[in-house]
Amino acid sequence: AACGSTETLPTSPDLPADLFTSCLTTPIHMALRFSCTSPLSSVSADMIDKIPGHLSDRRTPLGELNWIFTAITDTIAWNSLPRSLFQKLFRQDLLLASLFRNFLLAERIGRFYGVRPVSLPRLPRTHHHPMWDAWDLAAEAWLAQLPDMLHAHQQQQQAMAAQGADGVQGGGGGVDGGTSFAQASS
């Protein structure tokens, strides 16, 4: 459940209408939005939604963030759950593992807003696990680079469009059919 029976889900114009479901279905976006809530952050939710790449491609910014998130949440689960439960929830079925990884994020963000998501089987509290500091550090590093990354990506897209308008065929095959984002920002 999204929260305990005596709790009320948080509502705010800065939050998605269903915080719990957003954590389960778009964990990277939610984790980054949670990380950039500082008034000092120059990153907006719209910028986070424009991170280039694909979750399944580690060579892209979005794929790299997903890989880091998976490693960190698996570590948290490994350190927090009995081995048999870890094996059952995180190693037997890929979809189930993904949902429970994302549930750990929902618990962390929910706790910040004063609610505790409920699962069956009941999981130990993980919102305070020290590995979340590793995620925060990685997220901060990515968010600090994001404005420049998006600017470089936009310039790359404009250059490719201009080449196409001039009748020049682009070669590439990376993000969105062009050169890879990593190549463009080097």
Side-chain angles (χ1 to χ4, degrees):
C3 65
S5 61
T6 61
E7 299 171 330
T8 304
L9 288 174
T11 56
S12 166
D14 298 328
L15 294 174
D18 187 343
L19 181 65
F20 180 71
T21 300
S22 294
C23 287
L24 294 182
T25 59
T26 57
I28 303 304
H29 289 94
M30 287 304 302
L32 291 174
R33 284 180 69 174
F34 182 69
S35 294
C36 74
T37 55
S38 163
L40 301 176
S41 177
S42 63
V43 176
S44 68
D46 289 338
M47 292 171 78
I48 291 170
D49 291 339
K50 293 177 184 173
I51 296 175
H54 302 282
L55 287 172
S56 60
D57 186 355
R58 186 174 170 200
R59 297 170 298 167
T60 66
L62 191 58
E64 179 71 11
L65 284 165
N66 189 53
W67 184 83
I68 293 167
F69 178 81
T70 298
I72 288 172
T73 51
D74 275 4
T75 302
I76 291 170
W78 173 258
N79 288 316
S80 303
L81 301 178
R83 295 296 167 252
S84 60
L85 186 58
F86 175 82
Q87 290 296 326
K88 182 179 180 180
L89 300 180
F90 286 83
R91 293 296 180 255
Q92 289 184 358
D93 181 273
L94 292 175
L95 180 58
L96 186 64
S98 178
L99 284 173
F100 271 96
R101 265 186 225 107
N102 302 349
F103 181 86
L104 297 179
L105 174 68
E107 194 230 355
R108 181 182 194 217
I109 294 176
R111 285 295 183 144
F112 180 80
Y113 290 104
V115 296
R116 181 169 191 242
V118 179
S119 68
L120 203 69
R122 185 175 279 286
L123 300 181
R125 295 178 179 175
T126 59
H127 67 282
H128 60 283
H129 194 283
M131 283 303 293
W132 283 119
D133 293 339
W135 170 256
D136 292 339
L137 184 62
E140 286 175 22
W142 277 99
L143 291 171
Q145 299 175 50
L146 187 57
D148 291 338
M149 276 193 220
L150 292 177
H151 181 71
H153 185 66
Q154 183 182 23
Q155 285 183 326
Q156 176 192 12
Q157 296 300 315
Q158 289 172 348
M160 288 172 49
Q163 284 179 348
D166 292 338
V168 177
Q169 294 290 326
V175 177
D176 299 327
T179 57
S180 77
F181 185 75
Q183 293 167 339
S185 60
S186 329

